[in-house]
Amino acid sequence: MHEIVINAIQAGERRNLENDIQVGIIIEDGSITGWVKDYFGGIDKDALNKKGSLFSECGRGFLLVEHIVDEFSFESLEDGSFTVKIMKKCQGGQS
């Protein structure tokens, strides 16, 4: 979650925008789901496709998150919002 929140903050700073970042965490049914929503324009699709390597100066965050969690998704809506959602199953099905 930390990496996703930091990415949202940095996106706002790069675009000189001041806006809210919404963060949510739900623990249920043997999993933990987290999401971060902002209105900073989302992620550059070219950057997403490249994702960087572990040795790149930037771009490692989503690469690492993707390998740690069980589900990783993005959603851009017409209202300008962008949401990153992750889900991790708890060991042994316990939450």
Side-chain angles (χ1 to χ4, degrees):
M1 285 296 296
H2 176 266
E3 182 62 33
I4 298 168
V5 171
I6 293 299
N7 283 349
I9 292 169
Q10 289 175 342
E13 288 175 348
R14 278 192 304 274
R15 294 172 175 93
N16 291 322
L17 298 174
E18 291 186 24
N19 211 330
D20 292 334
I21 296 171
Q22 300 172 5
V23 178
I25 296 176
I26 301 169
I27 302 171
E28 65 183 1
D29 299 329
S31 67
I32 301 172
T33 301
W35 54 268
V36 177
K37 180 177 183 177
D38 66 52
Y39 291 85
F40 301 134
I43 297 173
D44 177 15
K45 298 208 185 302
D46 290 334
L48 264 182
N49 292 332
K50 293 177 186 170
K51 283 192 185 165
S53 73
L54 291 176
F55 303 106
S56 298
E57 185 173 330
C58 61
R60 292 182 301 248
F62 282 157
L63 180 69
L64 294 172
V65 170
E66 188 173 38
H67 284 83
I68 293 170
V69 300
D70 295 307
E71 292 180 17
F72 186 46
S73 63
F74 305 91
E75 181 179 31
S76 286
L77 298 178
E78 290 182 18
D79 67 357
S81 67
F82 183 76
T83 303
V84 178
K85 184 176 177 182
I86 59 173
M87 187 276 293
K88 179 72 178 168
K89 296 176 185 168
C90 298
Q91 193 121 17
Q94 304 273 333
S95 55

